[in-house]
Every structure is written in C-alpha cells, then in structure tokens.
Amino acid sequence: MPEVNVRQYVAGEWVAGDGGPLERRNPAAPAEVVARGTVGTADDVDRAVASARAGQSEWAARTSHARGAVLQAAAVLLAGRADEYGSELAREEGKTLREGIGEVRRAAQILDYVGHEPDRAAGEVFHSPRAGERILVVRRPVGTIGVITPFNFPIAIPAWKIAPALLHGNAVVWKASGAVPLLAVRLVETLLAAGLPADVIQLLHGDGAAGPALVAHPGIDAVTFTGSTGVGRAVASAGAARGIPVQAEMGGKNAAVVLADADLDLAVAQVIAGAFVSTGQKCTATSRLIVESAIVDEFLARLRTATDALTVGNPLDPEVAIGPLVSAASRDAVLAGIDTALQDGATRVTSRAPRLDLDGGHFVAPTVLDCRAGGSEVWENELFGPVLAVRTAQDAASAFAMVNQSEFGLSAAVFTRDIATALTAVDLLDVGMLHINSETAGADPHVPFGGVKGSALGPAEQGTAAREFYTRPSTVYLRGAA
Ligand code: UN1
C-alpha cells in the first residue's frame, strides 16, 4: 500500500504541522513507510484552540439530538470503511487485521451509542421545600476539551473520548499519538463527512511539544488522557495547577486468579486472550496470573502448550495470532524486562525464546514467566508487552490479597465455579473492572470504564459515566413569577 501524507486538521483546514518530520513505519516490516507528515508545535496548538473556542458556542447551541445525529451518521460511515481502515490500523499499529477491523467497528458502535445519548435522561428533578418551586439539575458543556490518546487503540479510545465530548456540546482539540497518525486522520475525516462543523474538531500529531502545550493552554477547559501512569500524573498536576479537571486513564498490572474449581479449558483460553491479544499492549491486559497451588502444575502445562501454539508474525496474515510490538524501543524494553526477571530467579514456562527475528519487525514471542522464586520487578511493574508473570496462592483468600497488593487497580479476572467465591471477589478486589470467568480486557460502550488506585484519576469513561466529565452540573431553582 502507498504511504499516506498525514496532515493536521487546524482551523478548518488540513495543514502540515509546524514541527519536525513525522514518519510512521509498519512495525511488522519497518522498511515500509505507512504515513509521513510533520508534528504539531505550540503555535499549532494556539491556532487550534482559538478555532475550537470560536466554534464551540454555536455547536453547543444546536439541540442535543442534532449533535447526536452527526455522531450516528459518522458511525454508519465508519462501519462502511471498517475493512479498509482496519487494514490501515493493522499496518500502522501492528495488531492483527481481525482486531484492526474489530476496533474500527467498535469505534462505530461507540459513536452510535453516544449518538443516542439525547434519548436518555438528561438530568434530575428534585422536590423543593418551598411551595411552587422545583429544583432541576441540568448539565452544561464544559467548553473546549483537550484530548490526548495513546497508540494502542488508535480509533476506539479516541472515539470514546471525542464522541461524548462533542455530544455534550464541547469542542475538541485532539493530540493523537505520533505512532498512529493515520487512523486519527481517518476518524476526523469521518466526523467531518458526517457533518461535524469544521472548527469543532482540531487534530494535532506527534509526541513532542503539542501535548504539554495543549495541557498548559489557557483556552483548554478540561483534559482527558489515556497513557502511562507517569505521564498521566504529570498531565493531572499541570491541570491542577491551572485549576481544570483532568481525567486520566493510566497503567494496570491486571491479575487473573485461577482457582482449583475453575473450568480450566475456559481459564486457559481467557488468560491467553487477556495476556497476549494486541501483543499484550492494553492497559487492561492480563499481566499477572495467580494460580491456586493445588492445580499449578496442570495449569502451567496447559498454558505452555497453548501459548507455544500461538503464531507470531505479520498481522495481515489471517493465520497470525500475535503481531509485533509498536516500536523497536518497546520491543527492547520488553526483552530487557524478561531478562531482568530471569536474572532475578524467575524461570521461563514457555518454550520459545522471547526474541524473534522476522522481517526485522519488532516481535517478541508470548512469554510466561514463573515468578515464584524471583522476578518481583516484572510482577509489580507494567511492561506493556506479551509477558505474563505467574505466582501461586494457597486459597482464594490469599489470591485476592495478592491481587490487591499492587499500586494499580484497573481490572482483574477470577476463574471459579463457586458463586460465593465470585461474590467475595466482588466485595474484596480493589479494581475498577472485575471479570468473573472472562479475560481482564474488554469494555462495552454502555457501561463505565475506569480504574482505581494508580490506574486512574477523575471520573470513569464511557456509558452514562462519561457525562460526569464532559459536562458540569447547574442546579436550577425554578419558580413561577406569581
Ligand atoms: C479494552 O480492554 O478493550 O489503553 C480497552 C487501554 C485501555 C483500553 C482497553 N484504556 O488499553
């Protein structure tokens, strides 16, 4: 496929960024350039914010149903291009074609769900202690929202931030990850083709100056961010210094607990999906496995067989289950993390050597590490790759305590056939999302998505929860004049 010249969308025009070159190569075959352009600068941010602010009030003055109709139309357009954009996504990001197409469809589903928000309840009505009065709580737009998105879901995460921001009457200045500029262009093109007014969305590229400039800009009224915990906290402190709300979705070290009474076939399949799909590059990926001691030998044997059977390679090949890491730097960091764990006493459960040299791509074989005798670093810290660290617990109670011994609290999975054990997990686990008998990853558009502890700051995303962040309440004491 030819390389695409990716531009920014600023003040109603597709323009080159003022910054240095941006070049995105296929992580499975780095000789191939997928997209080329230039990155955004603080000047680009200035122009984008000014344009967004100029357009916001007119957009907010439209009915909510009119705004929703634009999102619904965008959903239809996006679904119609799912194969094409999904293939671009796979070439740009490295996840498999099936996942790439699935992600574009998912983005369409999110736009459609949010596009129907006007048909849902819009606020609350309270009684008043005073005769002849009602008290309404209505929701008003926040203003102009800075949106900062990661590489790993190039269109689904942007959709779940941008759609509710727009629906609730805000304008958006979006700084996309420099690793996935092409899908960012596709989403903006789709929204414009669906009838979104030009100045309500602005797109900036790159991982340089634009992000910090956006967060610091006095014209930005709130920032939503997904990425690492380190950057998320920096964004949150910059936001706090300016007195604006920040929503940050950050790291995870998500555990799957497999208890002795679990359906082991189900558990193996789901743990593998959680740990290795998207090459482990999901904040919701399973990166810790806690197995009840009584079944650890059997479970690890099954896990090893199934993991060894996963085909790694070109994500466009339908036989391939696991694509490359997003970059050479990520691959090197993941390989270094594995080495450190092995030097520290962990042992490799899987047969394949982690380093895989295929077409010069950034591949790492899916790797399971037995961390019973060492490897606390890989047990505690997010590697963001296809690496699963394993420890054992004597019983459910100690397994649940281990889940909670983490600075993170995004998602967890518990595999058991005992409903009482499952309900205990519901009560005890400090996570934003708990899966009973399914993998740790995944997020439906109509329910809250979020974490606790080091995994998140601010209100949850998606579903009706999104309204918390993208609106501000206004309490109205309503009386007649008489
Ligand atoms: C999913 O589990 O399907 O960055 C979505 C991430 C999360 C999204 C996960 N914010 O991986």
Side-chain angles (χ1 to χ4, degrees):
M1 276 199 248
E3 69 180 58
V4 180
N5 178 12
V6 287
R7 291 176 177 264
Q8 309 198 108
Y9 192 72
V10 177
E13 283 180 83
W14 289 101
V15 292
D18 272 346
L22 171 73
E23 182 187 76
R24 180 58 188 163
R25 290 167 178 268
N26 180 340
E32 183 195 345
V33 176
V34 178
R36 223 187 269 278
T38 43
V39 301
T41 62
D43 284 348
D44 293 325
V45 170
D46 270 346
R47 288 187 299 121
V49 172
S51 169
R53 290 189 75 81
Q56 188 262 330
S57 48
E58 195 193 312
W59 174 243
R62 294 193 189 186
T63 65
S64 178
H65 281 85
R67 295 193 299 265
V70 171
L71 298 178
Q72 290 178 37
V76 173
L77 294 175
L78 204 53
R81 309 292 281 268
D83 288 359
E84 182 191 335
Y85 293 172
S87 149
E88 291 182 336
L89 197 166
R91 284 170 67 242
E92 179 175 61
E93 197 270 352
K95 63 180 69 176
T96 63
L97 181 59
R98 184 204 316 251
E99 286 174 75
I101 294 171
E103 187 183 329
V104 177
R105 292 202 181 118
R106 175 175 176 177
Q109 191 192 0
I110 291 165
L111 290 172
D112 188 59
Y113 167 81
V114 178
H116 285 91
E117 179 70 11
D119 299 339
R120 300 178 194 113
E124 292 172 297
V125 184
F126 289 82
H127 295 291
S128 169
R130 291 161 296 277
E133 184 177 84
R134 289 285 185 283
I135 306 173
L136 319 182
V137 180
V138 300
R139 293 275 172 177
R140 316 253 346 265
V142 175
T144 296
I145 312 276
V147 173
I148 301 178
T149 53
F151 75 85
N152 63 333
F153 284 91
I155 195 161
I157 290 178
W160 85 46
K161 293 179 183 297
I162 291 169
L166 293 173
L167 184 281
H168 291 294
N170 304 285
V172 166
V173 182
W174 174 21
K175 206 291 289 170
S177 159
V180 289
L182 180 50
L183 266 286
V185 167
R186 296 304 183 224
L187 180 56
V188 172
E189 285 173 344
T190 305
L191 289 166
L192 295 171
L196 189 70
D199 38 12
V200 174
I201 183 109
Q202 314 276 332
L203 171 65
L204 305 160
H205 292 305
D207 297 324
L214 184 59
V215 177
H217 200 289
I220 290 294
D221 301 305
V223 174
T224 178
F225 166 90
T226 296
S228 70
T229 299
V231 177
R233 288 190 176 158
V235 170
S237 11
R242 287 199 41 233
I244 60 164
V246 171
Q247 171 188 60
E249 195 56 59
M250 306 180 284
K253 194 68 203 178
N254 312 299
V257 174
V258 180
L259 296 173
D261 72 337
D263 175 334
L264 296 192
D265 289 332
L266 170 84
V268 167
Q270 292 291 308
V271 167
I272 283 189
F276 302 130
V277 169
S278 295
T279 323
Q281 299 173 114
K282 293 182 190 177
C283 60
T284 48
T286 306
S287 54
R288 293 188 294 158
L289 171 64
I290 301 163
V291 187
E292 192 166 341
S293 307
I295 54 157
V296 66
D297 292 339
E298 182 186 356
F299 194 74
L300 289 189
R302 291 194 194 203
L303 194 61
R304 171 197 179 123
T305 307
T307 305
D308 285 349
L310 295 170
T311 313
V312 182
N314 181 347
L316 298 177
D317 176 344
E319 302 294 305
V320 162
I322 312 285
L325 274 295
V326 69
S327 66
S330 293
R331 176 204 53 203
D332 294 345
V334 169
L335 291 172
I338 295 172
D339 280 347
T340 304
L342 295 174
Q343 279 157 23
D344 186 44
T347 52
R348 175 149 56 81
V349 174
T350 34
S351 311
R352 264 182 290 197
R355 180 180 287 278
L356 276 181
D357 212 2
L358 306 166
D359 301 325
H362 314 312
F363 294 99
V364 173
T367 300
V368 178
L369 295 175
D370 182 337
C371 292
R372 280 179 281 182
S376 50
E377 213 170 296
V378 76
W379 182 258
E380 286 164 16
N381 301 314
E382 188 177 44
L383 261 188
F384 225 62
V387 181
L388 178 64
V390 187
R391 285 187 173 169
T392 52
Q394 285 306 320
D395 51 28
S398 43
F400 295 163
M402 284 168 78
V403 172
N404 287 344
Q405 277 157 22
S406 172
E407 80 172 273
F408 299 109
L410 189 58
S411 68
V414 174
F415 295 89
T416 179
R417 288 184 163 108
D418 186 326
I419 188 74
T421 307
L423 288 171
T424 303
V426 172
D427 286 341
L428 291 187
L429 295 186
D430 294 329
V431 290
M433 287 152 319
L434 174 60
H435 294 258
I436 304 295
N437 294 311
S438 65
E439 59 160 311
T440 54
D444 282 328
H446 63 301
V447 292
F449 178 93
V452 298
K453 301 199 287 188
S455 292
L457 283 167
E461 305 194 84
Q462 302 213 72
T464 48
R467 183 194 295 161
E468 280 300 308
F469 185 71
Y470 294 106
T471 64
R472 57 176 186 77
S474 181
T475 304
V476 181
Y477 296 85
L478 181 65
R479 270 188 229 178

